[in-house]
Amino acid sequence: QVQLVESGGGLVQAGGSLRLSCAASGLSVSRYSMGWFRQAPGKERDLIAAIRWSASNTYYADSVKGRFAISRDNAKNTVYLQMNSLTPEDTADYYCAASFSADYIDSHGYNYWGRGTQVTVSS
């Protein structure tokens, strides 16, 4: 059974940092493309960062480029999202997901999902 469990969310002041973790079981993060999505209240869930399974290729949405970094620790079977220079606009529920689609930027190709972790950035 595949499980993705996010952690590391919480309340932070604007300008601060958080590191989200996604611990996987039932699949190997080295064999899947892994993505981080976020959904703010009243908005759609968007892919904001992804790392391709076969290489170090990464993708970032324009809204987080230069501030967020996705990484993967195959030995721990865990994916991370380092978030710096946070703003209130980053407030959302953050979800980890896994994809075996050839297109790791295709948000519709993500097959397995975690339950999410909440991030709140105060001004």
Side-chain angles (χ1 to χ4, degrees), residues 21-88:
S21 299
C22 172
S25 59
L27 64 79
S28 173
V29 299
S30 64
R31 295 179 179 269
Y32 283 77
S33 294
M34 302 298 296
W36 284 97
F37 292 73
R38 72 183 181 187
Q39 185 169 22
K43 295 189 176 181
E44 294 185 352
R45 186 167 57 186
D46 294 323
L47 176 65
I48 57 168
I51 184 165
R52 194 164 179 262
W53 68 274
S54 63
S56 299
N57 303 69
T58 55
Y59 160 82
Y60 297 98
D62 288 343
S63 58
V64 306
K65 198 172 295 183
R67 300 187 299 122
F68 290 12
I70 188 171
S71 61
R72 177 174 56 203
D73 186 331
N74 293 338
K76 294 183 178 180
N77 212 30
T78 299
V79 178
Y80 302 97
L81 184 68
Q82 178 66 44
M83 307 188 296
N84 300 325
S85 302
L86 286 162
T87 73

Side-chain angles (χ1 to χ4, degrees), residues 88-103:
E89 288 68 38
D90 296 314
T91 295
D93 292 324
Y94 285 71
Y95 299 87
C96 172
S99 168
F100 52 75
S101 169
D103 184 357

